[in-house]
Amino acid sequence: MRQLSTALAALYAGLIYLFIFLPVVVLVLFSFQDGTLPVPPLNGLTLRWYEAVFSDGKLMAALGNSLLVAVISSAVACILGFLAAYAFARYTLPASALLRGLIVAPMTVSTLIIGLGLLSMLNVTGMRLSLVTVGIGHVVINLPLCFAIIYASMGGHQVNIERAARDLGAKDWQVMLLVTAPMLLPSILAAFFLSVTFSWDEFIVAFLLSRFDVTLPVEIWSMLRSGLDPKTNAIGSVVFLISVVFLVLMELTVFRKTGKPS
Amino acid sequence: MTATALERAERRKAWAFALPGLLWTALFFLVPFAYMVAISFWTRQGREIVATWTLDNYVAFFQKAHFFKGLVVSLEITATVTVISVLLAYPLAWIIAERVPKKWQRFALVMAILPFWTSYVVRSYSWLLVLSKGGVVNQTLLSIGIIAEPLELSANRTGTVIGFVHFFVMLLTLTIYANLIQLSPNYRRAAADLGANAFQTFWHVVLPLTLPGIMVGAFLTFVLCIGDYITPQILGGNNELVLPQVIMLQLGRRADFPMAAALSLVLMAVVTLAYIACARWLKMERT
């Protein structure tokens, strides 16, 4: 009886894992397809689709744009989030709960609405759509997250250390930069890396707020118009590889070394 | 320096730290959002938005079939996806929590998340490779001889549902697993002492105690599913549009911002209602 249920459990888990892995396995496998259709039968293995991807100027530009937007918008979101978290944790502000609510409000709204609102406002102001406007949108999305993560880790136990630094003659900015920030580094890094992954994969805002220079998801989106294409498999596999490498790096630097971010 | 002057200086510092973030959110989120609410009551003439206050867009939502149907299709697909995902995810979460040795559980969960590190757009595309007429599933079934004609698995509702279920099975497995491992084994021991068999213990003790985990996961599924544009657009074809697709259509060729804004706010209202219902249920559960 026990053996039967264990066998059934293993079978069930196996089937679900098969379902979960099926698309990724097919994606990667047929990125090596020696033919123009990334579906069975597998004609043979070739690397030419990867060559096509790496020699495609538009794709490589989009890849660079994506990295640029992800890193800069995440850095801005982290800095703004850190400063705001510091203000709310260390000082008393009037209507503090309401203002904190304002900062996390974008988290409760879908990205479609954030993008649509920004787009209609930008249309009025006449600001041109570019990577800058995409970055602005990504900061709006990621600031609540960065603020929430960093604010949650600003406990009272750091206050005494900050006070000691002040007694020893450190100025405000020195306390913040040389004492508070290093103490909170694990959660700041966690916030940063999480923002980078969100920005890297974000589509709707990037799609609505960009025109000529686009990010990678938007460029891949426009590749889909040509239907099934092994080249799309290849760039998809590259994105997957980059993300997994990033995940491993994050695991090693943020979560292992310094323990879990508080 | 008097105490009040010191206080004032402190307060000025606090504002200096908080203001950049507050201003960013106000300027790039609150103002655009308020503007969007406003234009949802305006009209469009040609490509211009005219500030004449009217309820026309909201009336049009209820009167014109293709707008209202978008919401109906969205709700139907979201309900289907939520139910299927819960039914598929619960046994997996249970197996990981109960049958997988402790030290392998984290690995099992990491493996379940791993395929979701491809970009969202790419993931929907890869389902197309699996489900399309010449795709892996159809080719396999055809070559074995189970079917004579390829199955219609993509460019319809089936495709959208499969693409969604893929993601939400993973998500729900995580929330239900998190709930399951928090349960004290004492509950189960007590039930066994009182003479319950394995099934009775599960049905009367374990399942009710994990309902909050199911609800939270189902709520997340609802919100993320009903607001999504990518999966239905890639896998769903053009016959049945969900509300986000209808919204994007207003933006595209027609540049009808007032209508798009009104539809987005309807979508937001539906999500808010779901949130209120879910929050009220969880509260009742606790008392």
Side-chain angles (χ1 to χ4, degrees):
Chain A
M1 188 62 196
R2 177 85 190 169
Q3 267 170 339
L4 179 71
S5 86
T6 305
L8 279 178
L11 180 70
Y12 184 83
L15 283 176
I16 298 281
Y17 275 98
L18 176 71
F19 172 64
I20 289 179
F21 271 88
L22 185 62
V24 173
V25 171
V26 171
L27 177 83
V28 175
L29 181 65
F30 285 97
S31 68
F32 300 106
Q33 169 78 303
D34 195 4
T36 50
L37 268 183
V39 287
L42 192 62
N43 299 325
L45 301 177
T46 172
L47 283 175
R48 77 175 142 121
W49 301 112
Y50 286 91
E51 276 176 44
V53 161
F54 288 112
S55 58
D56 185 325
K58 267 168 91 183
L59 262 180
M60 288 300 110
L63 189 98
N65 291 342
S66 264
L67 285 173
L68 195 71
V69 169
V71 169
I72 293 179
S73 74
S74 301
V76 172
C78 269
I79 292 169
L80 295 180
F82 173 78
L83 288 175
Y86 191 81
F88 284 110
R90 297 290 182 261
Y91 299 91
T92 40
L93 283 164
S96 155
L98 187 76
L99 292 177
R100 266 181 285 147
L102 170 65
I103 288 197
V104 296
M107 226 194 292
T108 61
V109 173
S110 83
T111 50
L112 179 61
I113 290 179
I114 294 175
L116 188 57
L118 263 173
L119 178 61
S120 26
M121 192 185 80
L122 292 173
N123 277 348
V124 177
T125 59
M127 189 169 171
R128 281 238 204 99
L129 298 179
S130 66
L131 288 180
V132 177
T133 48
V134 175
I136 288 175
H138 283 183
V139 174
V140 171
I141 295 174
N142 283 328
L143 176 57
L145 186 86
C146 294
F147 172 77
I149 292 176
I150 298 170
Y151 183 72
S153 65
M154 281 202 176
H157 59 281
Q158 297 135 353
V159 176
N160 288 332
I161 306 177
E162 288 167 8
R163 212 170 277 156
R166 230 170 256 131
D167 284 349
L168 292 168
K171 294 192 181 69
D172 280 318
W173 65 269
Q174 286 174 318
V175 173
M176 201 195 289
L177 249 128
L178 302 174
V179 180
T180 314
M183 277 192 295
L184 293 172
L185 199 60
S187 51
I188 293 175
L189 279 179
F192 177 77
F193 283 128
L194 219 53
S195 300
V196 167
T197 52
F198 280 158
S199 170
W200 167 254
D201 196 22
E202 203 287 326
F203 172 75
I204 286 284
V205 168
F207 180 67
L208 289 174
L209 299 182
S210 62
R211 182 145 306 159
F212 301 113
D213 287 325
V214 295
T215 59
L216 195 56
V218 180
E219 183 62 32
I220 294 175
W221 181 265
S222 62
M223 285 173 74
L224 294 189
R225 244 177 273 149
S226 57
L228 302 182
D229 184 347
K231 199 173 147 191
T232 312
N233 289 45
I235 183 66
S237 306
V238 170
V239 172
F240 183 48
L241 190 70
I242 292 176
S243 304
V244 170
V245 167
F246 185 75
L247 178 71
V248 171
L249 277 180
M250 200 161 88
E251 179 89 16
L252 289 178
T253 56
V254 185
F255 293 94
R256 278 287 150 71
K257 239 195 215 159
T258 45
K260 278 201 171 153
S262 44
Chain B
M1 214 191 274
T2 62
T4 45
L6 191 73
E7 264 169 33
R8 231 176 287 143
E10 285 286 291
R11 177 159 290 183
R12 215 175 300 133
K13 253 184 270 169
W15 278 115
F17 295 142
L19 267 182
L22 286 170
L23 280 180
W24 193 285
T25 311
L27 190 61
F28 297 119
F29 172 72
L30 213 57
V31 172
F33 184 73
Y35 180 66
M36 208 183 90
V37 173
I39 62 172
S40 77
F41 294 102
W42 296 354
T43 50
R44 174 192 63 127
Q45 277 173 6
R47 295 189 80 84
E48 296 295 309
I49 297 168
V50 189
T52 45
W53 297 90
T54 164
L55 280 172
D56 281 358
N57 298 314
Y58 292 96
V59 173
F61 165 72
F62 286 104
Q63 280 183 343
K64 292 198 178 152
H66 59 285
F67 291 145
F68 192 74
K69 196 175 165 240
L71 179 64
V72 174
V73 172
S74 278
L75 285 171
E76 283 171 4
I77 288 180
T78 303
T80 316
V81 168
T82 308
V83 171
I84 297 179
S85 304
V86 169
L87 291 179
L88 288 179
Y90 200 102
L92 183 66
W94 189 85
I95 289 168
I96 295 177
E98 299 288 323
R99 290 300 172 83
V100 175
K102 264 273 173 305
K103 60 174 179 179
W104 287 104
Q105 289 186 3
R106 188 180 152 82
F107 177 75
L109 292 174
V110 169
M111 285 310 277
I113 305 171
L114 190 72
F116 297 92
W117 284 86
T118 44
S119 94
Y120 195 166
V121 175
V122 171
R123 200 163 62 237
S124 295
Y125 165 78
S126 28
W127 269 111
L128 215 51
L129 302 171
V130 176
L131 299 174
S132 67
K133 279 221 173 108
V136 175
V137 168
N138 272 322
Q139 295 270 4
T140 311
L141 293 179
L142 280 171
S143 64
I144 305 174
I146 294 179
I147 52 171
E149 289 286 308
L151 303 170
E152 304 270 349
L153 296 173
S154 62
N156 56 20
R157 194 184 282 204
T158 314
T160 306
V161 169
I162 293 176
F164 273 137
V165 165
H166 183 231
F167 181 71
F168 292 114
V169 161
M170 181 276 294
L171 192 77
L172 278 158
T173 302
L174 296 186
T175 62
I176 297 170
Y177 168 84
N179 198 323
L180 275 172
I181 52 158
Q182 279 174 0
L183 296 186
S184 158
N186 288 339
Y187 289 121
R188 248 161 294 172
R189 271 182 222 138
D193 282 349
L194 293 167
N197 62 30
F199 176 75
Q200 285 170 323
T201 306
F202 174 76
W203 190 255
H204 294 293
V205 179
V206 177
L207 186 62
L209 285 171
T210 49
L211 274 183
I214 297 176
M215 274 304 277
V216 171
F219 171 70
L220 273 177
T221 306
F222 182 90
V223 171
L224 295 174
C225 189
I226 205 163
D228 188 51
Y229 169 70
I230 298 171
T231 299
Q233 182 70 16
I234 295 179
L235 290 166
N238 293 319
N239 291 329
E240 274 189 325
L241 299 187
V242 295
L243 199 50
Q245 285 176 295
V246 178
I247 295 171
M248 293 296 272
L249 219 62
Q250 305 309 309
L251 288 183
R253 234 169 268 158
R254 311 192 41 200
D256 192 344
F257 276 83
M259 195 67 222
L263 293 173
S264 307
L265 290 169
V266 168
L267 188 62
M268 194 174 154
V270 171
V271 170
T272 309
L273 281 179
Y275 172 75
I276 292 170
C278 182
R280 184 169 285 182
W281 185 87
L282 282 175
K283 215 181 200 173
M284 268 176 8
E285 196 56 11
R286 227 175 285 146
T287 49

mmCIF file with all atom_site columns, all heavy atoms in Angstrom, chain A residues 71-81 139 143 192, chain B residues 24:
data_model
loop_
_atom_site.group_PDB
_atom_site.id
_atom_site.type_symbol
_atom_site.label_atom_id
_atom_site.label_alt_id
_atom_site.label_comp_id
_atom_site.label_asym_id
_atom_site.label_entity_id
_atom_site.label_seq_id
_atom_site.pdbx_PDB_ins_code
_atom_site.Cartn_x
_atom_site.Cartn_y
_atom_site.Cartn_z
_atom_site.occupancy
_atom_site.B_iso_or_equiv
_atom_site.pdbx_formal_charge
_atom_site.auth_seq_id
_atom_site.auth_comp_id
_atom_site.auth_asym_id
_atom_site.auth_atom_id
_atom_site.pdbx_PDB_model_num
ATOM 1   N N   . VAL A 1 71  ? 19.961 48.178 -15.043 1.00 0.00 ? 71  VAL A N   1
ATOM 2   C CA  . VAL A 1 71  ? 20.939 48.561 -14.015 1.00 0.00 ? 71  VAL A CA  1
ATOM 3   C C   . VAL A 1 71  ? 20.675 49.997 -13.530 1.00 0.00 ? 71  VAL A C   1
ATOM 4   O O   . VAL A 1 71  ? 20.609 50.252 -12.321 1.00 0.00 ? 71  VAL A O   1
ATOM 5   C CB  . VAL A 1 71  ? 22.378 48.423 -14.560 1.00 0.00 ? 71  VAL A CB  1
ATOM 6   C CG1 . VAL A 1 71  ? 23.372 49.068 -13.607 1.00 0.00 ? 71  VAL A CG1 1
ATOM 7   C CG2 . VAL A 1 71  ? 22.708 46.951 -14.762 1.00 0.00 ? 71  VAL A CG2 1
ATOM 8   N N   . ILE A 1 72  ? 20.473 50.927 -14.462 1.00 0.00 ? 72  ILE A N   1
ATOM 9   C CA  . ILE A 1 72  ? 20.303 52.321 -14.044 1.00 0.00 ? 72  ILE A CA  1
ATOM 10  C C   . ILE A 1 72  ? 18.979 52.521 -13.298 1.00 0.00 ? 72  ILE A C   1
ATOM 11  O O   . ILE A 1 72  ? 18.949 53.134 -12.228 1.00 0.00 ? 72  ILE A O   1
ATOM 12  C CB  . ILE A 1 72  ? 20.398 53.270 -15.259 1.00 0.00 ? 72  ILE A CB  1
ATOM 13  C CG1 . ILE A 1 72  ? 21.829 53.247 -15.806 1.00 0.00 ? 72  ILE A CG1 1
ATOM 14  C CG2 . ILE A 1 72  ? 20.030 54.702 -14.849 1.00 0.00 ? 72  ILE A CG2 1
ATOM 15  C CD1 . ILE A 1 72  ? 22.042 54.113 -17.011 1.00 0.00 ? 72  ILE A CD1 1
ATOM 16  N N   . SER A 1 73  ? 17.883 51.975 -13.845 1.00 0.00 ? 73  SER A N   1
ATOM 17  C CA  . SER A 1 73  ? 16.597 52.194 -13.169 1.00 0.00 ? 73  SER A CA  1
ATOM 18  C C   . SER A 1 73  ? 16.592 51.522 -11.797 1.00 0.00 ? 73  SER A C   1
ATOM 19  O O   . SER A 1 73  ? 16.028 52.059 -10.844 1.00 0.00 ? 73  SER A O   1
ATOM 20  C CB  . SER A 1 73  ? 15.438 51.704 -14.024 1.00 0.00 ? 73  SER A CB  1
ATOM 21  O OG  . SER A 1 73  ? 15.377 50.307 -14.016 1.00 0.00 ? 73  SER A OG  1
ATOM 22  N N   . SER A 1 74  ? 17.247 50.362 -11.676 1.00 0.00 ? 74  SER A N   1
ATOM 23  C CA  . SER A 1 74  ? 17.293 49.699 -10.369 1.00 0.00 ? 74  SER A CA  1
ATOM 24  C C   . SER A 1 74  ? 18.139 50.490 -9.381  1.00 0.00 ? 74  SER A C   1
ATOM 25  O O   . SER A 1 74  ? 17.797 50.584 -8.200  1.00 0.00 ? 74  SER A O   1
ATOM 26  C CB  . SER A 1 74  ? 17.858 48.293 -10.503 1.00 0.00 ? 74  SER A CB  1
ATOM 27  O OG  . SER A 1 74  ? 17.071 47.541 -11.378 1.00 0.00 ? 74  SER A OG  1
ATOM 28  N N   . ALA A 1 75  ? 19.259 51.055 -9.870  1.00 0.00 ? 75  ALA A N   1
ATOM 29  C CA  . ALA A 1 75  ? 20.096 51.868 -8.982  1.00 0.00 ? 75  ALA A CA  1
ATOM 30  C C   . ALA A 1 75  ? 19.312 53.076 -8.484  1.00 0.00 ? 75  ALA A C   1
ATOM 31  O O   . ALA A 1 75  ? 19.325 53.394 -7.293  1.00 0.00 ? 75  ALA A O   1
ATOM 32  C CB  . ALA A 1 75  ? 21.372 52.310 -9.715  1.00 0.00 ? 75  ALA A CB  1
ATOM 33  N N   . VAL A 1 76  ? 18.602 53.759 -9.395  1.00 0.00 ? 76  VAL A N   1
ATOM 34  C CA  . VAL A 1 76  ? 17.807 54.925 -8.993  1.00 0.00 ? 76  VAL A CA  1
ATOM 35  C C   . VAL A 1 76  ? 16.736 54.503 -7.982  1.00 0.00 ? 76  VAL A C   1
ATOM 36  O O   . VAL A 1 76  ? 16.553 55.141 -6.940  1.00 0.00 ? 76  VAL A O   1
ATOM 37  C CB  . VAL A 1 76  ? 17.153 55.591 -10.227 1.00 0.00 ? 76  VAL A CB  1
ATOM 38  C CG1 . VAL A 1 76  ? 16.172 56.675 -9.792  1.00 0.00 ? 76  VAL A CG1 1
ATOM 39  C CG2 . VAL A 1 76  ? 18.217 56.183 -11.135 1.00 0.00 ? 76  VAL A CG2 1
ATOM 40  N N   . ALA A 1 77  ? 16.041 53.390 -8.287  1.00 0.00 ? 77  ALA A N   1
ATOM 41  C CA  . ALA A 1 77  ? 14.983 52.928 -7.384  1.00 0.00 ? 77  ALA A CA  1
ATOM 42  C C   . ALA A 1 77  ? 15.551 52.607 -6.004  1.00 0.00 ? 77  ALA A C   1
ATOM 43  O O   . ALA A 1 77  ? 14.942 52.921 -4.977  1.00 0.00 ? 77  ALA A O   1
ATOM 44  C CB  . ALA A 1 77  ? 14.285 51.703 -7.971  1.00 0.00 ? 77  ALA A CB  1
ATOM 45  N N   . CYS A 1 78  ? 16.749 51.995 -5.968  1.00 0.00 ? 78  CYS A N   1
ATOM 46  C CA  . CYS A 1 78  ? 17.370 51.644 -4.684  1.00 0.00 ? 78  CYS A CA  1
ATOM 47  C C   . CYS A 1 78  ? 17.756 52.893 -3.901  1.00 0.00 ? 78  CYS A C   1
ATOM 48  O O   . CYS A 1 78  ? 17.541 52.965 -2.689  1.00 0.00 ? 78  CYS A O   1
ATOM 49  C CB  . CYS A 1 78  ? 18.619 50.782 -4.913  1.00 0.00 ? 78  CYS A CB  1
ATOM 50  S SG  . CYS A 1 78  ? 18.259 49.047 -4.899  1.00 0.00 ? 78  CYS A SG  1
ATOM 51  N N   . ILE A 1 79  ? 18.349 53.871 -4.584  1.00 0.00 ? 79  ILE A N   1
ATOM 52  C CA  . ILE A 1 79  ? 18.778 55.099 -3.886  1.00 0.00 ? 79  ILE A CA  1
ATOM 53  C C   . ILE A 1 79  ? 17.560 55.838 -3.332  1.00 0.00 ? 79  ILE A C   1
ATOM 54  O O   . ILE A 1 79  ? 17.513 56.196 -2.152  1.00 0.00 ? 79  ILE A O   1
ATOM 55  C CB  . ILE A 1 79  ? 19.588 56.008 -4.835  1.00 0.00 ? 79  ILE A CB  1
ATOM 56  C CG1 . ILE A 1 79  ? 20.922 55.338 -5.177  1.00 0.00 ? 79  ILE A CG1 1
ATOM 57  C CG2 . ILE A 1 79  ? 19.838 57.371 -4.193  1.00 0.00 ? 79  ILE A CG2 1
ATOM 58  C CD1 . ILE A 1 79  ? 21.675 55.999 -6.302  1.00 0.00 ? 79  ILE A CD1 1
ATOM 59  N N   . LEU A 1 80  ? 16.546 56.035 -4.179  1.00 0.00 ? 80  LEU A N   1
ATOM 60  C CA  . LEU A 1 80  ? 15.340 56.724 -3.710  1.00 0.00 ? 80  LEU A CA  1
ATOM 61  C C   . LEU A 1 80  ? 14.669 55.932 -2.582  1.00 0.00 ? 80  LEU A C   1
ATOM 62  O O   . LEU A 1 80  ? 14.231 56.505 -1.581  1.00 0.00 ? 80  LEU A O   1
ATOM 63  C CB  . LEU A 1 80  ? 14.349 56.912 -4.865  1.00 0.00 ? 80  LEU A CB  1
ATOM 64  C CG  . LEU A 1 80  ? 14.779 57.823 -6.016  1.00 0.00 ? 80  LEU A CG  1
ATOM 65  C CD1 . LEU A 1 80  ? 13.680 57.901 -7.067  1.00 0.00 ? 80  LEU A CD1 1
ATOM 66  C CD2 . LEU A 1 80  ? 15.123 59.204 -5.514  1.00 0.00 ? 80  LEU A CD2 1
ATOM 67  N N   . GLY A 1 81  ? 14.625 54.617 -2.755  1.00 0.00 ? 81  GLY A N   1
ATOM 68  C CA  . GLY A 1 81  ? 13.997 53.770 -1.748  1.00 0.00 ? 81  GLY A CA  1
ATOM 69  C C   . GLY A 1 81  ? 14.755 53.801 -0.435  1.00 0.00 ? 81  GLY A C   1
ATOM 70  O O   . GLY A 1 81  ? 14.160 53.886 0.645   1.00 0.00 ? 81  GLY A O   1
ATOM 71  N N   . VAL A 1 139 ? 11.429 52.607 -12.778 1.00 0.00 ? 139 VAL A N   1
ATOM 72  C CA  . VAL A 1 139 ? 11.658 53.098 -11.416 1.00 0.00 ? 139 VAL A CA  1
ATOM 73  C C   . VAL A 1 139 ? 10.325 53.156 -10.660 1.00 0.00 ? 139 VAL A C   1
ATOM 74  O O   . VAL A 1 139 ? 10.249 52.775 -9.490  1.00 0.00 ? 139 VAL A O   1
ATOM 75  C CB  . VAL A 1 139 ? 12.345 54.481 -11.413 1.00 0.00 ? 139 VAL A CB  1
ATOM 76  C CG1 . VAL A 1 139 ? 12.436 55.027 -9.992  1.00 0.00 ? 139 VAL A CG1 1
ATOM 77  C CG2 . VAL A 1 139 ? 13.733 54.376 -12.009 1.00 0.00 ? 139 VAL A CG2 1
ATOM 78  N N   . LEU A 1 143 ? 10.458 51.099 -7.316  1.00 0.00 ? 143 LEU A N   1
ATOM 79  C CA  . LEU A 1 143 ? 10.654 51.882 -6.094  1.00 0.00 ? 143 LEU A CA  1
ATOM 80  C C   . LEU A 1 143 ? 9.870  51.322 -4.898  1.00 0.00 ? 143 LEU A C   1
ATOM 81  O O   . LEU A 1 143 ? 10.434 51.198 -3.805  1.00 0.00 ? 143 LEU A O   1
ATOM 82  C CB  . LEU A 1 143 ? 10.299 53.360 -6.364  1.00 0.00 ? 143 LEU A CB  1
ATOM 83  C CG  . LEU A 1 143 ? 10.348 54.312 -5.180  1.00 0.00 ? 143 LEU A CG  1
ATOM 84  C CD1 . LEU A 1 143 ? 11.721 54.303 -4.544  1.00 0.00 ? 143 LEU A CD1 1
ATOM 85  C CD2 . LEU A 1 143 ? 9.999  55.736 -5.614  1.00 0.00 ? 143 LEU A CD2 1
ATOM 86  N N   . PHE A 1 192 ? 18.167 45.518 -5.072  1.00 0.00 ? 192 PHE A N   1
ATOM 87  C CA  . PHE A 1 192 ? 18.737 45.873 -6.367  1.00 0.00 ? 192 PHE A CA  1
ATOM 88  C C   . PHE A 1 192 ? 18.606 44.722 -7.365  1.00 0.00 ? 192 PHE A C   1
ATOM 89  O O   . PHE A 1 192 ? 18.124 44.904 -8.490  1.00 0.00 ? 192 PHE A O   1
ATOM 90  C CB  . PHE A 1 192 ? 20.207 46.271 -6.191  1.00 0.00 ? 192 PHE A CB  1
ATOM 91  C CG  . PHE A 1 192 ? 20.908 46.592 -7.482  1.00 0.00 ? 192 PHE A CG  1
ATOM 92  C CD1 . PHE A 1 192 ? 20.695 47.805 -8.114  1.00 0.00 ? 192 PHE A CD1 1
ATOM 93  C CD2 . PHE A 1 192 ? 21.766 45.678 -8.061  1.00 0.00 ? 192 PHE A CD2 1
ATOM 94  C CE1 . PHE A 1 192 ? 21.317 48.104 -9.307  1.00 0.00 ? 192 PHE A CE1 1
ATOM 95  C CE2 . PHE A 1 192 ? 22.401 45.963 -9.264  1.00 0.00 ? 192 PHE A CE2 1
ATOM 96  C CZ  . PHE A 1 192 ? 22.180 47.179 -9.877  1.00 0.00 ? 192 PHE A CZ  1
ATOM 97  N N   . TRP B 2 24  ? 8.978  61.464 -6.963  1.00 0.00 ? 24  TRP B N   1
ATOM 98  C CA  . TRP B 2 24  ? 9.001  60.548 -8.122  1.00 0.00 ? 24  TRP B CA  1
ATOM 99  C C   . TRP B 2 24  ? 7.653  59.846 -8.264  1.00 0.00 ? 24  TRP B C   1
ATOM 100 O O   . TRP B 2 24  ? 7.050  59.800 -9.334  1.00 0.00 ? 24  TRP B O   1
ATOM 101 C CB  . TRP B 2 24  ? 10.122 59.516 -7.954  1.00 0.00 ? 24  TRP B CB  1
ATOM 102 C CG  . TRP B 2 24  ? 10.395 58.765 -9.220  1.00 0.00 ? 24  TRP B CG  1
ATOM 103 C CD1 . TRP B 2 24  ? 9.625  57.777 -9.758  1.00 0.00 ? 24  TRP B CD1 1
ATOM 104 C CD2 . TRP B 2 24  ? 11.489 58.960 -10.124 1.00 0.00 ? 24  TRP B CD2 1
ATOM 105 N NE1 . TRP B 2 24  ? 10.175 57.335 -10.936 1.00 0.00 ? 24  TRP B NE1 1
ATOM 106 C CE2 . TRP B 2 24  ? 11.319 58.042 -11.177 1.00 0.00 ? 24  TRP B CE2 1
ATOM 107 C CE3 . TRP B 2 24  ? 12.594 59.803 -10.115 1.00 0.00 ? 24  TRP B CE3 1
ATOM 108 C CZ2 . TRP B 2 24  ? 12.216 57.954 -12.232 1.00 0.00 ? 24  TRP B CZ2 1
ATOM 109 C CZ3 . TRP B 2 24  ? 13.498 59.711 -11.159 1.00 0.00 ? 24  TRP B CZ3 1
ATOM 110 C CH2 . TRP B 2 24  ? 13.300 58.807 -12.210 1.00 0.00 ? 24  TRP B CH2 1
#
